[in-house]
Amino acid sequence: QEMEKEVEIDEDEEMDDKDWEDVGEDDDLDMFDEADGIDLNTCLFCDHKSETVESKCEHMAKEHSFFIPDNEFVSDLEGLLKFLGIKVGAYHVCLWCSSKCYRDLKSVQKHMQDKGHQRMKFEGETLLEYADYYTYPGDYTIDDDYDMLNKSD
């Protein structure tokens, strides 16, 4: 028998906030399938399909005021968009809140539109989520640290 999660809801919260719950522990992630992520040519915020990843980004910028922070340092645009598509489409997580998991894709998209959360949170711990998709000047790897430690003076 499956146990249903109870979600405590404050009476004063707005309607769309009734469709979310806190993202739980890792064992709760079993109910998600990353294959449900939004595909590379589909907008993260609506059903619009684009011919290319670049035109998808143009659409999201024009229609949803979405931009990718530090765009000039993105080293894997397709990987980043795929990651965001999984976050929104499979896990139903708001890109800005990052701690609210919605019931379905339409609920998280409505929340992001209603709250103006059609943007990436690019600060604090969320920066770590995006590290694989960016390369900054002066970036170094663990191998670089190892090399520096083993240099003889």
Side-chain angles (χ1 to χ4, degrees):
Q1 180 180 4
E2 288 186 25
M3 300 206 37
E4 288 186 32
K5 278 189 182 177
E6 290 186 26
V7 179
E8 212 171 288
I9 299 170
D10 185 349
E11 296 289 329
D12 296 331
E13 289 183 358
E14 294 182 28
M15 290 296 285
D16 78 318
D17 284 345
K18 292 181 181 179
D19 288 332
W20 73 273
E21 59 187 69
D22 285 328
V23 176
E25 297 299 320
D26 289 341
D27 55 332
D28 293 336
L29 299 178
D30 293 339
M31 64 188 212
F32 299 107
D33 184 357
E34 289 186 1
D36 293 334
I38 297 170
D39 71 77
L40 273 178
N41 291 342
T42 302
C43 177
L44 297 171
F45 310 110
C46 71
D47 294 333
H48 179 80
K49 293 205 181 289
S50 299
E51 294 287 322
T52 66
V53 170
E54 291 77 16
S55 60
K56 171 183 177 168
C57 290
E58 290 170 12
H59 161 80
M60 292 190 300
K62 182 179 178 187
E63 298 299 323
H64 306 289
S65 301
F66 175 80
F67 70 94
I68 295 173
D70 289 353
N71 190 36
E72 67 273 21
F73 299 113
V74 173
S75 55
D76 182 6
L77 179 61
E78 286 191 9
L80 177 60
L81 291 173
K82 182 177 179 181
F83 175 77
L84 295 176
I86 290 170
K87 193 171 182 176
V88 173
Y91 295 106
H92 312 134
V93 172
C94 172
L95 295 179
W96 184 255
C97 297
S98 288
S99 64
K100 291 182 177 182
C101 183
Y102 288 79
R103 295 182 202 276
D104 55 34
L105 176 60
K106 294 297 179 200
S107 295
V108 70
Q109 287 174 327
K110 181 179 183 330
H111 161 80
M112 289 188 292
Q113 181 178 348
D114 291 350
K115 300 290 185 178
H117 287 184
Q118 295 164 315
R119 55 192 170 144
M120 289 171 57
K121 189 167 198 167
F122 204 68
E123 59 189 42
E125 290 181 17
T126 56
L127 280 175
L128 296 175
E129 293 180 15
Y130 306 125
D132 292 342
Y133 311 107
Y134 284 83
T135 303
Y136 290 95
D139 271 1
Y140 62 90
T141 65
I142 292 171
D143 292 337
D144 293 335
D145 281 342
Y146 180 78
D147 290 343
M148 286 192 311
L149 290 173
N150 291 313
K151 282 186 179 176
S152 57
D153 290 323

